[in-house]
Amino acid sequence: MPPGPQKKATATRPRTVRLDGELASSAPLNVKRFDPLSAFSKQLTPTPTPPASNHRPQIKKGKEKAKEAPLVDDYLWVDRYEPTSEAELAVHVKKVESVRQWLNEAFDGGPSGKLSKYRRILAMTGPAGTGKTSTIRVLAREMGLEILEWRSTISDTPPTEDGPRDDYEGLFTKFEAFLTRASTCHSLFSESISRPQSSPARRLILLEDLPNILHSQTQAQFHQAMNSFVTSPPPNPPTPLVIIVSDAGMRGEASDERRADGRGWGKDKAEVVDIRTVLSKDLLTGPYVTEIAFNPIAPTLMRKALQAMLNTHFASVAKSKSSNLAPSKEALDLVVESSNGDIRSAIMALQFSCVIPGKKGKKNTTLMLEATTRREQSLALFHLIGKVLYNKRKDDPPSVSATAKIMQREKDLDKVLKDPKPLPAHLQHHERRSSRVDVDTLYADSPIETSLFSLYIHQNYTQFCTELEHSDGVADWLSWVDSSGGDAWYIANPHQFHLLTLGTLHSLPSPVLRRSQKTYKPEFFAFLQKEKDAADSVRHTRDWVTQDNINGEFGRRAGGWSRDDVILELGGILKARDSHPGHAVQPPPMHRLFSRMEFTRTGSSVHSQQLDEAGLPIDEGIEPDVFYMPSSAAKTEDKETGGWLETDDIEDFP
Amino acid sequence: MSLWVDQYRPRTLDALQYHTGLSERLKSLAASGDFPHMLFYGPSGAGKKTRISCTLRQLFGPGVEKLKIDQRIFLSPSKRKLEINIVQSNYHLEITPSEAGNYDRLVIQELLKEIAQTQQVDLSAKQRFKVVVINEADSLSRDAQAALRRTMEKYMSNMRIILCANSTSRLIAPIKSRCLLMRVAAPNEAEISSVLQSVARRAGFDLPPSAGDKIVEDSGGNLRKAILTLEALKMQSPDLTGPLSIAKPDWEAYCQKVADLIIGEQTPARVMEVRSKFYELLSHCIPPTVILKTVAERVVDKVDEALKADIMHWAAFYEVRMRTGNKKIYHLEAWVIKVMSLYKHFFFNIDMSEFD
């Protein structure tokens, strides 16, 4: 790798806190790259001391610390500073309000008094660390509700493959028992002790630790249990059920693709736990279930909450003369940025950064944070895509908004780059100036794997092409790279990333015409989800078509309908049946998911999300305050209009 | 639920209305006592499965029509449980290997071994063997096909296999040579028309010849499609007279409009628009190969003679890539761009040598 141009600590962009900021100013050619595995050992040992005397003082220091700060104990801050009131919650006020309203309706029936019948199950969904559990606990405390929570235990007698199972009470049996008891019986203890006799305690059932839903038999049982829970008349006082499901999956992993290709094993089976697998479709669309989706926590809210937590923490620690330093403002910012809206990981990172011993405080902290909190899809992805798609080459004219510093840096880089050898005449059309992009560096820094990277390129490349020929090249490379690996992960082509990047760079125009392009997240996954739903409906329709073939009087059909027959040929008759109701047997209405297609020239059924620097899907409608604050979201906006890439020090990013 | 296609499906070989020579042959084979493994192939809607079930009935009598569905659990090498639905009677068993995905070899082996090792216990059974029907045999993986070929020889005494496929090209030669090949060709127009008439008669109405012709023309040799269209039409306009218009399925109309988009304009922006249409089609579960084929046929219809060969060449080229690749959209899109630039260059009369 050619030595990069010099950088200084980033005064311009406080959000990118340099790891080696101080080092760089003194020793310019110091390590640019940072290896999370070995970094601690290197940086945490005091560098000037000779190794012989290095050992003892460190131990002593550790002991001193233990004496001095007894409060730094085994507790995680996540548990110690669990929010106890609504004010401490980092969740958006409106979300909390909607949960509170639901709970009120569940117990008191809302304004008409009848709603409690339909407020049986509340499904709280959202990414991990968005305060779902905390919200329900805080509200329960506030409203005086008792929480009955199910915890899956390890079964006491593990079932053997073929041993006798008569006296063995399976986990699911226990679960069912729990459910019925919890919803109908009253607790002996809490009620009589902590409460006056006036009213029986109001309770809610909390399900966070679910039985193994991915096992289809258990899933069926679970659905059944949920159904019977909903249909049984609510006891008095009603006992609503709260299910908390953290979203997982749908991240562009291999299993998604295999599902996408429609042939692979498991195409009909769920492989991740999401709300659709937890609750059956009928229930989800029915009146008994309310779903409240939590968004990633907005940076402003999170910063406020973290600051408050730090204040309480250091207020208590200060008395015991702790040597712990409160993390700097930059560190806090970094934690917030890199957490991706996950407050649990943010708190963890914060605590981690505060237990680092030593006086060198700030540098170590930021260093540690970089290593521990850097997460996929945050900062780097945005730059990665930009670097590839803007296709900067040697001697590109600097853009209008470039600062002197950046122009200088580009010049320095160009000096180092070698010109490629001229090509023979018949290959003239492949002639390109040498690229400023170093593919190896890119590959090493890429936060995402190649297949997801290719999806991002695919989503965005057309805006960067001026002629159709450019698109042709990129599309062909995408196609080639996708097919070159074979259909199983273990025979995947190891050079995919390089091929794709180089191919894209080669095909794109140079220089790329700037017209304030915006990068978007791939629509692929939204459509994949739609396809999954449609596949469900195909299966149902197929069952409907073949069912009577087997049970009814015409039960003689060998083979029945294949999947493709149903999709391609059944559309017309399904439509006819729909438009002429009154026929004896109606097809399942969900068949429209695959049989109906309206052609329109405007819009798409999937709203594409813009990729911004924070990499956060921010829901504009619900959390408006994000945009008033000087947070990353606001910053991104003006950068995009002003040609953000020029003002970014991409090279600054390790 | 009883669609006419299922309701008026012939149940015996005698009731079959066309390919009588084939029916005769099947009948004598069933009577001969030396029934071979068989491979039925032909285009969809030609009557392969109908002929298979008729043959089974000829072999075993009406008992073969008493079907039940079993859910069987197989354990994959990685201890993963595969649940597969199996339709079976006392005399035969049907599997669709695509349900087992990558583990089709395992499922087929297990099932066949199990069938082969159990003797027919029903003493009144007409035959000493059981029949295994494998639907969509052309989607069998190479592995599974290779496993099949040994099994077919080894357990010949207890078991016969009937394969059903659209084309033999994806089956390995050893399998083909172990089977008696039965080609079920698509019925011709007169045959479809007479079948439609008889369906109409049994359903209790008269089919006006003009309407019948129209359906036949639309069906393209696919009898199942023709009967489905007939039923849909009858539902929409009960007297079936006057000008009838047979609506294309939504997806087909959609594909054609996508083709028009491609010819309409050739810019990167249009590529984006076409892409969202492809996504829409894919998310309606339309098989990508069908999408490519339908769009390509429409495009070829509309362009100059000189371009047709190239467009189809690239369609074939990207279809192959699509089969090995994961993300169908890339290949569909690459094809679209290729067609667009061919079309554009044709009009600007530029040398196209670099596209070869």
Side-chain angles (χ1 to χ4, degrees), chain A residues 381-382 385 389 452 455-464 516-523 607-612 640 644, chain B residues 272 275:
Chain A
L381 178 56
F382 185 60
I385 306 294
L389 287 180
L452 189 53
L455 279 173
Y456 273 96
I457 297 284
H458 175 247
Q459 183 64 43
N460 294 303
Y461 75 88
T462 49
Q463 309 170 61
F464 295 83
S516 59
Q517 286 98 334
K518 290 183 176 146
T519 41
Y520 292 94
K521 296 188 174 177
E523 292 166 337
H607 177 69
S608 51
Q609 279 180 325
Q610 196 172 333
L611 174 72
D612 55 32
E640 263 147 15
W644 47 268
Chain B
M272 280 305 271
R275 175 198 299 174

Side-chain angles (χ1 to χ4, degrees), chain A residues 461 476 548 555 559 600-601, chain B residues 1 65 94 273 277 318 333:
Chain A
Y461 75 88
D476 194 58
D548 278 10
T600 50
R601 284 296 300 276
Chain B
M1 166 64 196
E65 290 172 2
E94 281 174 34
E273 197 179 342
K277 303 299 171 212
Y318 284 111
E333 190 169 312

Side-chain angles (χ1 to χ4, degrees), chain A residues 511-589:
Chain A
V512 166
L513 199 66
R514 311 265 165 155
R515 37 187 175 191
S516 59
Q517 286 98 334
K518 290 183 176 146
T519 41
Y520 292 94
K521 296 188 174 177
E523 292 166 337
F524 184 79
F525 297 105
F527 282 105
L528 195 61
Q529 188 59 48
K530 275 185 80 182
E531 187 180 338
K532 227 176 116 193
D533 291 346
D536 263 357
S537 74
V538 171
R539 213 168 58 245
H540 276 99
T541 311
R542 190 175 157 195
D543 286 349
W544 171 75
V545 173
T546 50
Q547 197 173 30
D548 278 10
N549 279 334
I550 288 170
N551 301 327
E553 54 177 315
F554 312 109
R556 61 180 174 277
R557 177 88 201 270
W561 292 77
S562 77
R563 185 171 177 269
D564 288 358
D565 291 345
V566 171
I567 296 168
L568 299 177
E569 291 175 16
L570 216 52
I573 199 126
L574 290 172
K575 216 176 193 176
R577 290 240 167 159
D578 271 358
S579 54
H580 293 76
H583 199 279
V585 199
Q586 284 295 320

Side-chain angles (χ1 to χ4, degrees), chain A residues 405-419:
Chain A
K405 195 182 108 196
I406 290 164
M407 282 158 74
Q408 184 56 44
R409 171 141 31 87
E410 287 181 346
K411 255 183 218 153
D412 291 344
L413 180 61
D414 285 353
K415 268 181 222 152
V416 186
L417 289 175
K418 285 196 197 78
D419 281 317

Side-chain angles (χ1 to χ4, degrees), chain A residues 120-121 172 175-176 179 207 210-211 219-232 241 243 278-280 283 288-289:
Chain A
R120 300 307 307 281
I121 297 183
F172 201 82
F175 174 73
E176 277 175 325
L179 207 58
L207 281 188
L210 295 165
Q219 185 185 22
Q221 281 177 317
F222 185 79
H223 286 176
Q224 210 179 356
M226 286 298 122
N227 267 324
S228 60
F229 175 81
V230 156
T231 44
S232 65
L241 179 74
I243 301 182
V278 173
L279 293 175
S280 62
L283 217 50
Y288 297 109
V289 177

Side-chain angles (χ1 to χ4, degrees), chain B residues 226-244:
Chain B
I227 298 176
L228 283 171
T229 316
L230 174 67
E231 188 176 353
L233 272 184
K234 174 74 181 163
M235 219 178 287
Q236 273 157 357
S237 54
D239 52 354
L240 285 175
T241 51
L244 289 173

Side-chain angles (χ1 to χ4, degrees), chain A residues 216 257 261 263-265 267 269 271 451 454-455 458-459 461-462 465-469 471-472 475-476 478-480 482-483 486-487 523-524 527 530-531 534-535 538 542 544-545 548-550 554-565 567-570 572-573 575-577 580 585 593-601 603-605, chain B residues 1-3 6-7 9 11 44 49 53 65 67 69 80-83 87 94 98-103 135-136 222 224-225 228 231-232 235-236 249-251 254 257-258 261 266-268 270-273 275-277 279-287 290 318 321 324-331 333-334 337-338 340-341 344-345 355:
Chain A
S216 63
E257 286 150 35
D261 88 1
R263 279 264 174 242
W265 159 250
K267 66 181 176 197
K269 303 274 192 297
E271 287 179 357
S451 102
S454 72
L455 279 173
H458 175 247
Q459 183 64 43
Y461 75 88
T462 49
C465 300
T466 32
E467 292 295 321
L468 199 61
E469 286 65 41
S471 312
D472 186 21
D476 194 58
L478 279 168
S479 154
W480 195 87
D482 182 51
S483 63
D487 52 1
E523 292 166 337
F524 184 79
F527 282 105
K530 275 185 80 182
E531 187 180 338
V538 171
R542 190 175 157 195
W544 171 75
V545 173
D548 278 10
N549 279 334
I550 288 170
F554 312 109
R556 61 180 174 277
R557 177 88 201 270
W561 292 77
S562 77
R563 185 171 177 269
D564 288 358
D565 291 345
I567 296 168
L568 299 177
E569 291 175 16
L570 216 52
I573 199 126
K575 216 176 193 176
R577 290 240 167 159
H580 293 76
V585 199
L593 281 179
F594 71 90
S595 65
R596 289 298 176 87
M597 298 196 73
E598 288 292 328
F599 187 87
T600 50
R601 284 296 300 276
S604 135
S605 63
Chain B
M1 166 64 196
S2 50
L3 293 172
D6 292 324
Q7 198 173 347
R9 184 180 303 279
R11 304 172 68 171
S44 61
K49 285 175 191 164
S53 56
E65 290 172 2
L67 297 176
I69 300 186
R80 186 166 174 175
K81 279 184 179 162
L82 316 175
E83 287 170 13
V87 178
E94 281 174 34
S98 60
E99 279 176 21
N102 297 333
Y103 297 107
N135 293 316
E136 299 169 35
N222 185 336
R224 176 177 50 227
K225 190 175 169 193
L228 283 171
E231 188 176 353
M235 219 178 287
Q236 273 157 357
D250 281 0
W251 64 267
Y254 200 95
K257 286 186 183 135
V258 175
L261 280 185
Q266 292 85 32
T267 58
R270 181 55 67 92
V271 172
M272 280 305 271
E273 197 179 342
R275 175 198 299 174
S276 73
K277 303 299 171 212
Y279 265 140
E280 212 49 65
L281 281 162
L282 286 172
S283 69
H284 281 71
C285 284
I286 313 295
V290 174
Y318 284 111
R321 282 199 181 171
T324 48
N326 276 323
K327 303 192 185 69
K328 311 302 178 197
I329 189 80
Y330 291 176
H331 312 287
E333 190 169 312
I337 296 177
K338 207 60 105 177
M340 280 186 173
S341 55
K344 200 171 137 192
H345 281 260
F355 289 98

